[in-house]
Amino acid sequence: MSLEPLSPETRSLLAEISTATLTSQLMARGLRNTFMQKVHRLTTGGPSMVGEAFTLRYIPSREDIDVSAVFEDRSHPQRRAVETIPSGHVLVIDCRQDIRAAGAGSILVTRTMMRGAAGVVTDGGLRDSPTIEALDYPVYCGGRSAPTNLTRHHAVDINVPIGCGDVPVYPGDIIVGDREGVVVIPRHLADDVAQQGKEQTLMEDFVTERVLAGQSTFGLYPPNAETVAQFEAWKKRK
Amino acid sequence: MSLEPLSPETRSLLAEISTATLTSQLMARGLRNTFMQKVHRLTTGGPSMVGEAFTLRYIPSREDIDVSAVFEDRSHPQRRAVETIPSGHVLVIDCRQDIRAAGAGSILVTRTMMRGAAGVVTDGGLRDSPTIEALDYPVYCGGRSAPTNLTRHHAVDINVPIGCGDVPVYPGDIIVGDREGVVVIPRHLADDVAQQGKEQTLMEDFVTERVLAGQSTFGLYPPNAETVAQFEAWKKRK
Amino acid sequence: MSLEPLSPETRSLLAEISTATLTSQLMARGLRNTFMQKVHRLTTGGPSMVGEAFTLRYIPSREDIDVSAVFEDRSHPQRRAVETIPSGHVLVIDCRQDIRAAGAGSILVTRTMMRGAAGVVTDGGLRDSPTIEALDYPVYCGGRSAPTNLTRHHAVDINVPIGCGDVPVYPGDIIVGDREGVVVIPRHLADDVAQQGKEQTLMEDFVTERVLAGQSTFGLYPPNAETVAQFEAWKKRK
Amino acid sequence: MSLEPLSPETRSLLAEISTATLTSQLMARGLRNTFMQKVHRLTTGGPSMVGEAFTLRYIPSREDIDVSAVFEDRSHPQRRAVETIPSGHVLVIDCRQDIRAAGAGSILVTRTMMRGAAGVVTDGGLRDSPTIEALDYPVYCGGRSAPTNLTRHHAVDINVPIGCGDVPVYPGDIIVGDREGVVVIPRHLADDVAQQGKEQTLMEDFVTERVLAGQSTFGLYPPNAETVAQFEAWKKRK
Amino acid sequence: MSLEPLSPETRSLLAEISTATLTSQLMARGLRNTFMQKVHRLTTGGPSMVGEAFTLRYIPSREDIDVSAVFEDRSHPQRRAVETIPSGHVLVIDCRQDIRAAGAGSILVTRTMMRGAAGVVTDGGLRDSPTIEALDYPVYCGGRSAPTNLTRHHAVDINVPIGCGDVPVYPGDIIVGDREGVVVIPRHLADDVAQQGKEQTLMEDFVTERVLAGQSTFGLYPPNAETVAQFEAWKKRK
Amino acid sequence: MSLEPLSPETRSLLAEISTATLTSQLMARGLRNTFMQKVHRLTTGGPSMVGEAFTLRYIPSREDIDVSAVFEDRSHPQRRAVETIPSGHVLVIDCRQDIRAAGAGSILVTRTMMRGAAGVVTDGGLRDSPTIEALDYPVYCGGRSAPTNLTRHHAVDINVPIGCGDVPVYPGDIIVGDREGVVVIPRHLADDVAQQGKEQTLMEDFVTERVLAGQSTFGLYPPNAETVAQFEAWKKRK
């Protein structure tokens, strides 16, 4: 995990590419399972999300261990995650796709925002969702869920590989989210995916323009030689 | 399947009747399973949806067959469906209620719109959902799902009987959608259901008016003789 | 069930406390399962919901019993529930978490509103959801579902203990709903939970203010002695 | 529910008819939802099960109410059910299809057997399943589940209409179980279903004999006039 | 689909290879989704199953179409499938993973056996399961389910590509089943998979023998050069 | 985790106590969630299972990382777990309740048996289940599943806290399994639970004897003073 930080250029490119396009790029590289299942955008405002994964892992809770007093301990993983996540990173929380309780609430989500994190993602629930919803900040979850994490979830680790939404997430993987959902890009593929995804996005913008002008998709999408030529000309005009 | 096209009058009536009322009309004819389960309206704009079913069937995909190059083949069922669906018809896509991948994306959905289709329905996912969402066009799906169909779905047939949202759909059935969801009306029942549904809608408008005026539902809903008389008078005034 | 009516003061306090805070108060009293699962707010307008539970119980329907004519009987439990629910109470409908059919529709929901009920909650579906959605009234359900209750549900009892969203609901329990969802407070705990929930809400408002000002959560949330003192001072200033 | 007791003749006939045949008889009478879903035979020994339904209803449990001491109360519904079920009846327990805890254990199941009940059915779990499994007694459940009912279930009523395995069960309905599962026959249909089910069983025995002799199913199943004549001759020979 | 019939040699080899080994062989060829999910062996007797897929497709049923009389029509797909499946083929039935009703019953299953089919597989239910269970014949299903197919399923096609247990099945694919479950081998891979699967089986037999003799799995499984040499010697001795 | 090893006496006691009784003992100590959900005994032979938890954690697999060659690495967590699990311990594998692929197969399960482990438990699948099934060794899983772990699961950690069957498992917890399923006993409670579970078992044996003799459960279960006296006398006679 000694990879270099995500370059500003790649970060900037990824913010303009849809998760649909990114999954296509990843499938072209043999990766079919990269889009988090049953994880949805909670906030209506805020930008797209791009950042390195910083992970938090929960296991099921136990009544004698998971009591309110645990939060007084500064080394508690949930609190430690929130206070140590680096700027520009995304907090990705593995709740085992169980939304019967929250993985976090508005105070901790807000704290990550204030510390410069790029967003929060969990396949569990989020509490105080009406408050979170109003933030200009990318937040994704499996559902609105008032109960505190202690009722179902026990925070056990930070920055280990996890599953989230049935997708593997390794610390440092690049997490991208738009209004559709969240995609996980293996760290070493990010630059290449961003470059080619940019090109694919331009092509699809061109195709969409042609379709809205009434053209058939045959020969257009995927493009034949004539279409490619027209696309190149279109790019120059832009 | 040699039925006559849907008459403009029935099409126009159905556009004004709620799916709730239509399911009641169908239940009165012995059909209890006519509302698609877990299929939701994606677009916020656009009219209600009414049209004959034009179907597309997927089976699970296979890694060696379902590769990007397949789309270059004009006879690929997904592309053929989009380029051959008649004006006024609804594209209904059977994804076996599996939303882990998309049944279509914004370019193909837009193309059906440009070709004059009446809408798109799938019990799978749709990709590019933020783009689709902005169309003034009726689109329904099981969920937002970035991965291309090839990751999970293989298009195999067009215009055969299918299941969608756990409801049988025969080509030519009348598909009606409002903000609540999608109902499937067997083709031969459409005219009759439209006529009686219109009458039921008027009655429920009258009942709602009375309820908002403070009247009890006893004797009103369902109506006794006195209420029926008042309803007839109310209709004349309208 | 001879408890006194909910006091106006407690009702008023509960309307200002989030369901997240209420579940924390209940967990502190040993109750971990108080938030209804898979039950969501349908209406975007209207206040928070607070009221005593008035229950309606469904079992699966049977084709020979559950025919449209049943609604002509004034003693039919669904209709009786709607016409007898006391002012200020919440109609809570047990549909066994089955949203394949509706527990009620817009006419009956509107009637409860006109009769002064505090809201409607079901873990089944609701039909005429686009009409209900526009009411300034708290309504919660498991999903939009056009089919009439008779297709799947048979109303069998009113005001007996039920399950709703996997939570036990006893008649007279206090039901509170906000934009996040619905919590069930055992009747005898309501006053105490309201008082302490009010205090917790103030504290979390203070904490949120501090977090938005850039303060770390360590020592703040949960509060150490210094934070408690600052909070007391803050409260006085307010 | 003032129906006469199940006649010995009908009871005896039903014990010889498969649940598959019974569901066909019920479908021919317009009832499509009569077979309990996800409810399986636990015991390998013992006869088929036939008896009138005697019901027990659970709702979700609550930590402050559902404590071990409740069983000391003779009026506790679970214990009262076991000690009052009439001879020849089947105890049918509604656990809301939740098998995370048991609806009963070996001691109570054994007690119903000793009191002459005809069997036990639940859509929840059963505990002490290895002990129950060895009884020569019909027992059906949703799964093996060690936790006591109190962890998830609260017994609330006896002999009210319930759902079990997604099928409505009214007290007095006739419950029949074989190695395939459990079917619910509305009380007033039992005699007729038994008579015609007997005839259908004979016909299918004849058909099976013919199929094993190598005959095609065309004209045999369903039978044409010639097959009917052969069947009548076969019946006489038997 | 003009492939040659399955050779006796390959058929014979596949009968001796476990589905676990076959999925490994297929994964080595890039196919990860070849094992039917939630499909289990029903019969305890009978051989392993090997044969070409002969498919039957169901969609959801409709009350006005799916009535008992349909079976009198010889062209009804379910009956036609049973009477035309070639010897040595496996009848694979797509029930959309819905076990609420049966895909077939004992009479039709027995008929396929008498006609020389190699087995029956469905991801739906099977009725008359206690009778089927006793056959010396490979039969697999999603569960025991008494209701006739008409209550939920409508037979619509034979010998088209289908999904079964979330796996694609093309007519002519090779279907292999053991006590673990069912694997689908694309037709063109069958000979090669059989040859290499045979070799893998021998190796795993050798490894199991060594593990039972107390050897560590390091260097043994997967084998290093020394182990490979020992394996070659072992094979010669056998 | 510096607790002393499980004493032979406690181990021996636990082997004679049912998981039903153990969950009751744990519920009496405030722990309601201790029985693994959807985890079943695979082997029909072999003793009950008692041992300290030794854990293996999987996350979802990724196509570029999870290739067959990984098993050649001795530090691969799955292989390391099998070769380092101490005698008398139970291998508990967290597969996130996903049975679409196996957590292990017969060779590795057999190896743990040869090394003296007390059993294997996973909430995922197991492959080569027909071979495993025949071992005289306690093995539990979520289902039979031929595909190798690499198709869905990536082994990432050994001996960290995990979830299994929706229950928290800490390394060193005491895992007990009988024919009903698997219970997790927090390490520090094991001796006490064993002692009191032994007493409860005796009492229930006595109660069962009385019930089989025809006695009512009132006053017997739970026991009143007279029953307690009879029980004490019964114990002396034994």
Side-chain angles (χ1 to χ4, degrees):
Chain A
M1 293 301 150
S2 57
L3 283 163
E4 295 189 9
L6 187 62
S7 74
E9 186 198 351
T10 294
R11 182 181 294 266
S12 164
L13 280 173
L14 290 173
E16 301 297 321
I17 304 173
S18 72
T19 55
T21 294
L22 293 171
T23 59
S24 291
Q25 288 295 323
L26 290 165
M27 188 188 153
R29 288 159 179 80
L31 302 179
R32 286 171 175 255
N33 182 31
T34 59
F35 185 73
M36 290 187 187
Q37 298 297 327
K38 299 186 186 167
V39 170
H40 308 289
R41 179 89 173 201
L42 177 60
T43 46
T44 49
S48 285
M49 176 179 73
V50 184
E52 296 96 333
F54 186 90
T55 67
L56 171 62
R57 180 167 82 94
Y58 283 106
I59 61 170
S61 65
R62 212 171 81 189
E63 290 92 335
D64 59 343
I65 294 178
D66 294 289
V67 294
S68 305
V70 297
F71 292 130
E72 290 171 24
D73 175 10
R74 285 191 178 204
S75 70
H76 184 271
Q78 188 203 36
R79 300 306 163 92
R80 196 151 41 99
V82 165
E83 293 295 342
T84 60
I85 181 172
S87 176
H89 281 55
V90 174
L91 180 60
V92 187
I93 309 173
D94 174 355
C95 285
R96 311 169 319 286
Q97 302 190 291
D98 184 347
I99 63 169
R100 291 175 295 173
S106 66
I107 290 173
L108 298 188
V109 167
T110 302
R111 177 63 181 152
T112 66
M113 181 179 76
M114 294 307 295
R115 295 192 67 255
V120 174
V121 177
T122 181
D123 59 4
L126 285 177
R127 67 198 310 233
D128 311 311
S129 59
T131 304
I132 295 173
E133 208 172 357
L135 299 175
D136 281 329
Y137 183 58
V139 181
Y140 297 81
C141 64
R144 300 163 186 268
S145 194
T148 172
N149 56 359
L150 301 172
T151 62
R152 294 281 176 192
H153 304 312
H154 171 89
V156 72
D157 275 327
I158 63 174
N159 247 5
V160 294
I162 59 172
C164 189
D166 207 23
V167 176
V169 181
Y170 292 83
D173 278 353
I174 306 309
I175 310 297
V176 181
D178 61 7
R179 305 282 148 189
E180 185 144 286
V182 178
V183 68
V184 181
I185 307 173
R187 179 64 190 87
H188 67 287
L189 299 175
D191 293 339
D192 191 42
V193 160
Q195 292 295 339
Q196 297 198 25
K198 171 68 179 172
E199 186 71 11
Q200 184 185 337
T201 300
L202 280 174
M203 171 56 92
E204 298 200 347
D205 287 350
F206 168 74
V207 167
T208 296
E209 203 178 293
R210 299 307 311 150
V211 165
L212 283 169
Q215 189 172 331
S216 164
T217 60
F218 290 145
L220 178 68
Y221 182 65
N224 57 18
E226 187 186 341
T227 297
V228 168
Q230 290 171 337
F231 170 56
E232 294 301 328
W234 177 90
K235 273 202 291 186
K236 275 178 202 148
R237 288 200 305 273
K238 286 248 154 178
Chain B
M1 293 298 152
S2 57
L3 282 164
E4 296 189 7
L6 187 61
S7 75
E9 185 198 352
T10 293
R11 183 182 293 266
S12 165
L13 280 174
L14 289 173
E16 301 297 320
I17 304 173
S18 72
T19 55
T21 293
L22 293 171
T23 58
S24 292
Q25 288 295 324
L26 291 165
M27 188 189 153
R29 288 161 178 81
L31 302 179
R32 287 171 174 255
N33 181 31
T34 59
F35 185 75
M36 290 186 187
Q37 298 297 327
K38 299 186 185 168
V39 170
H40 308 289
R41 179 91 173 199
L42 178 60
T43 45
T44 49
S48 285
M49 175 178 72
V50 185
E52 295 96 335
F54 186 90
T55 67
L56 172 60
R57 180 166 81 93
Y58 284 108
I59 61 170
S61 64
R62 213 171 79 190
E63 290 91 337
D64 59 343
I65 294 178
D66 295 290
V67 295
S68 303
V70 297
F71 293 130
E72 290 171 24
D73 176 9
R74 283 191 180 205
S75 69
H76 185 271
Q78 189 204 36
R79 300 307 164 91
R80 196 152 40 99
V82 164
E83 293 294 343
T84 61
I85 181 172
S87 175
H89 282 53
V90 174
L91 180 59
V92 187
I93 309 174
D94 174 356
C95 284
R96 311 169 318 285
Q97 301 190 291
D98 184 348
I99 62 169
R100 291 174 295 172
S106 66
I107 289 173
L108 298 188
V109 167
T110 301
R111 176 62 181 153
T112 66
M113 182 179 74
M114 294 307 295
R115 296 193 65 256
V120 174
V121 178
T122 180
D123 59 3
L126 286 177
R127 65 198 311 233
D128 310 312
S129 58
T131 304
I132 295 173
E133 208 173 355
L135 299 175
D136 281 328
Y137 183 57
V139 181
Y140 297 81
C141 65
R144 299 164 186 269
S145 193
T148 173
N149 58 358
L150 300 171
T151 61
R152 295 280 176 192
H153 304 311
H154 171 89
V156 73
D157 276 327
I158 64 172
N159 246 5
V160 295
I162 59 172
C164 189
D166 206 23
V167 176
V169 181
Y170 292 82
D173 279 351
I174 306 309
I175 310 297
V176 182
D178 62 6
R179 303 283 149 189
E180 186 143 287
V182 179
V183 68
V184 181
I185 307 175
R187 178 63 190 88
H188 67 287
L189 297 176
D191 294 338
D192 191 41
V193 160
Q195 292 295 339
Q196 296 198 25
K198 171 66 178 174
E199 185 71 10
Q200 183 185 337
T201 301
L202 280 174
M203 171 57 91
E204 298 200 347
D205 287 349
F206 168 74
V207 166
T208 297
E209 202 177 294
R210 299 309 309 152
V211 164
L212 283 169
Q215 189 172 331
S216 163
T217 60
F218 289 145
L220 178 67
Y221 182 65
N224 56 19
E226 187 186 340
T227 297
V228 168
Q230 289 171 339
F231 169 55
E232 293 301 327
W234 177 89
K235 274 203 290 186
K236 276 177 202 152
R237 287 199 306 273
K238 286 246 156 181
Chain C
M1 294 298 151
S2 56
L3 282 165
E4 296 188 9
L6 187 62
S7 74
E9 185 197 351
T10 294
R11 183 182 293 265
S12 165
L13 281 173
L14 290 172
E16 301 297 320
I17 304 173
S18 72
T19 55
T21 294
L22 293 171
T23 58
S24 291
Q25 288 295 325
L26 291 165
M27 189 191 154
R29 289 160 178 80
L31 302 179
R32 286 169 175 256
N33 181 32
T34 59
F35 185 74
M36 289 186 188
Q37 298 297 328
K38 300 185 186 168
V39 170
H40 308 289
R41 179 89 174 201
L42 177 60
T43 46
T44 49
S48 285
M49 175 179 73
V50 185
E52 296 96 333
F54 186 89
T55 67
L56 172 61
R57 181 166 82 93
Y58 283 107
I59 61 171
S61 65
R62 212 172 79 192
E63 290 92 335
D64 59 342
I65 294 178
D66 295 290
V67 294
S68 303
V70 298
F71 293 131
E72 291 171 23
D73 176 9
R74 286 192 177 204
S75 69
H76 185 270
Q78 188 204 35
R79 300 307 164 90
R80 197 152 40 98
V82 164
E83 292 295 342
T84 60
I85 182 172
S87 176
H89 282 54
V90 173
L91 181 60
V92 186
I93 307 174
D94 174 356
C95 284
R96 312 170 318 285
Q97 302 190 290
D98 184 346
I99 63 169
R100 290 174 295 172
S106 65
I107 289 174
L108 298 188
V109 167
T110 302
R111 177 62 181 154
T112 66
M113 181 179 76
M114 295 306 295
R115 295 193 66 256
V120 174
V121 177
T122 181
D123 60 3
L126 285 177
R127 66 199 310 233
D128 310 312
S129 58
T131 304
I132 295 173
E133 209 172 355
L135 299 176
D136 280 329
Y137 183 58
V139 181
Y140 297 81
C141 64
R144 300 164 186 268
S145 194
T148 173
N149 56 358
L150 300 172
T151 61
R152 293 284 178 191
H153 305 311
H154 171 89
V156 72
D157 275 327
I158 63 172
N159 247 5
V160 296
I162 59 172
C164 188
D166 207 22
V167 176
V169 181
Y170 292 83
D173 278 352
I174 306 309
I175 310 298
V176 181
D178 61 7
R179 303 284 148 189
E180 186 143 287
V182 179
V183 67
V184 181
I185 308 174
R187 179 63 191 87
H188 67 286
L189 298 176
D191 294 338
D192 191 41
V193 160
Q195 291 296 338
Q196 296 198 25
K198 171 66 179 174
E199 186 71 11
Q200 184 186 337
T201 301
L202 279 174
M203 170 57 91
E204 299 200 345
D205 287 350
F206 168 74
V207 167
T208 296
E209 201 177 295
R210 298 308 309 150
V211 165
L212 284 169
Q215 188 172 333
S216 163
T217 60
F218 289 145
L220 178 68
Y221 182 65
N224 57 16
E226 187 186 340
T227 297
V228 168
Q230 289 171 339
F231 170 54
E232 293 302 326
W234 178 88
K235 272 202 292 187
K236 275 179 200 148
R237 286 199 307 274
K238 285 247 155 179
Chain D
M1 295 296 155
S2 57
L3 283 164
E4 296 189 7
L6 187 62
S7 74
E9 185 198 352
T10 295
R11 182 182 294 265
S12 164
L13 281 173
L14 291 173
E16 301 297 321
I17 304 173
S18 73
T19 55
T21 294
L22 292 171
T23 58
S24 291
Q25 287 296 324
L26 291 165
M27 189 190 153
R29 288 160 179 79
L31 302 179
R32 286 170 176 256
N33 182 31
T34 59
F35 185 73
M36 289 186 189
Q37 298 298 327
K38 300 186 185 168
V39 169
H40 308 289
R41 179 90 173 200
L42 178 60
T43 46
T44 49
S48 284
M49 175 179 72
V50 185
E52 295 96 333
F54 186 90
T55 66
L56 171 61
R57 180 166 82 94
Y58 283 106
I59 60 170
S61 64
R62 211 171 81 191
E63 290 92 335
D64 58 343
I65 294 178
D66 295 290
V67 294
S68 303
V70 297
F71 292 130
E72 290 171 23
D73 176 8
R74 285 192 177 206
S75 69
H76 184 270
Q78 189 204 37
R79 301 306 163 91
R80 196 150 43 96
V82 165
E83 293 295 343
T84 60
I85 182 172
S87 176
H89 282 54
V90 173
L91 180 60
V92 186
I93 308 174
D94 174 355
C95 285
R96 311 170 318 285
Q97 302 191 289
D98 184 348
I99 63 168
R100 290 173 297 172
S106 66
I107 289 173
L108 298 188
V109 167
T110 302
R111 177 62 181 152
T112 66
M113 181 180 77
M114 295 305 295
R115 293 192 68 257
V120 174
V121 177
T122 180
D123 60 4
L126 285 177
R127 66 199 310 233
D128 310 312
S129 58
T131 305
I132 295 173
E133 209 174 354
L135 299 176
D136 281 329
Y137 182 58
V139 181
Y140 297 81
C141 64
R144 300 163 186 269
S145 193
T148 172
N149 57 359
L150 301 172
T151 61
R152 294 282 178 190
H153 305 312
H154 171 89
V156 72
D157 275 327
I158 63 174
N159 246 6
V160 295
I162 59 172
C164 189
D166 207 22
V167 176
V169 181
Y170 292 83
D173 278 352
I174 306 308
I175 309 297
V176 181
D178 61 7
R179 304 284 148 189
E180 186 143 285
V182 178
V183 67
V184 180
I185 307 174
R187 178 65 190 86
H188 66 286
L189 298 176
D191 294 339
D192 191 41
V193 161
Q195 291 296 339
Q196 297 197 25
K198 171 67 180 173
E199 185 70 11
Q200 184 185 337
T201 301
L202 280 174
M203 171 57 90
E204 299 199 347
D205 287 350
F206 168 75
V207 167
T208 297
E209 203 178 292
R210 298 308 310 150
V211 165
L212 284 169
Q215 188 172 332
S216 162
T217 60
F218 288 144
L220 178 69
Y221 182 65
N224 57 17
E226 186 186 341
T227 298
V228 168
Q230 290 170 338
F231 170 54
E232 293 302 326
W234 178 88
K235 272 203 293 186
K236 276 179 201 148
R237 289 199 305 273
K238 285 246 156 182
Chain E
M1 292 301 152
S2 57
L3 282 163
E4 296 188 8
L6 187 63
S7 74
E9 184 197 353
T10 293
R11 182 182 293 266
S12 163
L13 280 174
L14 289 173
E16 301 297 321
I17 304 174
S18 72
T19 55
T21 293
L22 293 171
T23 58
S24 291
Q25 288 295 324
L26 291 165
M27 189 189 152
R29 288 158 179 81
L31 302 179
R32 287 171 174 254
N33 181 33
T34 59
F35 185 74
M36 289 187 188
Q37 299 297 326
K38 300 186 186 167
V39 170
H40 308 289
R41 178 90 173 201
L42 178 60
T43 45
T44 50
S48 284
M49 176 178 73
V50 185
E52 295 96 333
F54 185 89
T55 66
L56 171 61
R57 179 166 82 94
Y58 283 107
I59 61 169
S61 65
R62 211 172 79 190
E63 290 91 336
D64 59 343
I65 294 178
D66 295 290
V67 294
S68 303
V70 297
F71 292 130
E72 290 170 24
D73 176 9
R74 283 190 179 209
S75 70
H76 184 271
Q78 189 204 37
R79 300 307 162 91
R80 197 151 41 98
V82 164
E83 294 295 342
T84 60
I85 182 171
S87 176
H89 282 54
V90 173
L91 180 61
V92 186
I93 309 173
D94 174 356
C95 285
R96 312 170 319 284
Q97 302 191 290
D98 184 347
I99 62 169
R100 289 175 296 172
S106 65
I107 290 173
L108 298 188
V109 167
T110 302
R111 177 63 181 152
T112 65
M113 182 179 76
M114 295 306 295
R115 294 192 67 256
V120 174
V121 177
T122 180
D123 60 4
L126 285 177
R127 67 199 308 233
D128 311 310
S129 59
T131 304
I132 295 172
E133 208 173 356
L135 299 175
D136 281 328
Y137 183 58
V139 181
Y140 297 81
C141 65
R144 300 164 186 269
S145 193
T148 171
N149 57 357
L150 301 172
T151 62
R152 296 280 178 192
H153 305 312
H154 172 90
V156 73
D157 275 328
I158 64 173
N159 246 5
V160 294
I162 59 172
C164 189
D166 207 24
V167 176
V169 180
Y170 292 83
D173 278 352
I174 306 308
I175 310 297
V176 181
D178 60 7
R179 304 282 149 190
E180 185 144 286
V182 178
V183 68
V184 181
I185 307 174
R187 178 64 190 87
H188 66 288
L189 298 176
D191 294 338
D192 191 42
V193 160
Q195 292 295 338
Q196 297 198 25
K198 171 67 179 171
E199 184 73 9
Q200 183 185 337
T201 301
L202 281 174
M203 170 57 91
E204 298 201 348
D205 287 349
F206 168 73
V207 167
T208 297
E209 201 178 295
R210 299 308 309 150
V211 164
L212 283 169
Q215 187 172 333
S216 164
T217 60
F218 289 144
L220 178 69
Y221 183 65
N224 56 19
E226 187 186 340
T227 297
V228 168
Q230 290 170 341
F231 170 56
E232 293 302 327
W234 177 89
K235 272 202 292 188
K236 276 179 201 147
R237 288 199 306 274
K238 285 245 154 180
Chain F
M1 292 302 151
S2 57
L3 282 164
E4 298 188 7
L6 188 62
S7 74
E9 185 198 352
T10 293
R11 183 182 292 267
S12 164
L13 281 174
L14 290 174
E16 301 297 322
I17 304 174
S18 72
T19 54
T21 293
L22 292 171
T23 59
S24 291
Q25 288 295 324
L26 291 165
M27 189 190 154
R29 287 160 179 81
L31 302 179
R32 286 170 175 254
N33 181 33
T34 58
F35 185 75
M36 289 185 188
Q37 298 297 325
K38 299 186 186 167
V39 170
H40 308 290
R41 179 91 174 200
L42 178 60
T43 46
T44 49
S48 284
M49 175 178 73
V50 185
E52 294 97 334
F54 186 90
T55 67
L56 171 62
R57 180 165 83 92
Y58 283 107
I59 61 169
S61 64
R62 213 172 79 190
E63 291 91 337
D64 59 342
I65 294 178
D66 294 290
V67 294
S68 303
V70 297
F71 293 130
E72 291 171 24
D73 177 9
R74 283 190 179 208
S75 70
H76 185 270
Q78 189 204 38
R79 300 305 164 91
R80 195 153 40 98
V82 164
E83 293 295 342
T84 60
I85 182 171
S87 175
H89 281 55
V90 173
L91 180 60
V92 187
I93 308 173
D94 174 356
C95 284
R96 311 169 321 285
Q97 303 191 289
D98 184 348
I99 62 170
R100 289 174 297 172
S106 66
I107 290 174
L108 297 188
V109 166
T110 302
R111 176 63 180 152
T112 66
M113 181 180 77
M114 295 306 294
R115 295 193 66 256
V120 174
V121 178
T122 180
D123 60 2
L126 286 177
R127 67 199 307 234
D128 311 311
S129 58
T131 305
I132 295 174
E133 208 173 355
L135 299 176
D136 281 329
Y137 182 58
V139 181
Y140 297 81
C141 64
R144 300 164 186 269
S145 193
T148 172
N149 57 358
L150 300 172
T151 62
R152 296 280 178 192
H153 304 311
H154 171 90
V156 72
D157 276 326
I158 63 173
N159 245 6
V160 295
I162 60 172
C164 188
D166 207 23
V167 176
V169 181
Y170 291 84
D173 279 352
I174 305 310
I175 310 298
V176 181
D178 61 8
R179 304 283 149 188
E180 186 143 287
V182 178
V183 67
V184 181
I185 307 174
R187 178 64 191 87
H188 66 287
L189 297 176
D191 294 339
D192 191 41
V193 160
Q195 292 296 338
Q196 296 198 26
K198 171 67 179 173
E199 185 71 11
Q200 184 186 335
T201 300
L202 280 174
M203 170 56 92
E204 298 200 346
D205 287 350
F206 168 74
V207 166
T208 296
E209 201 178 295
R210 298 308 310 151
V211 164
L212 284 169
Q215 188 172 333
S216 163
T217 60
F218 288 145
L220 179 68
Y221 183 65
N224 57 18
E226 187 185 339
T227 297
V228 168
Q230 290 170 339
F231 170 55
E232 293 303 325
W234 177 88
K235 274 202 291 186
K236 274 178 202 148
R237 286 199 307 272
K238 285 244 154 180

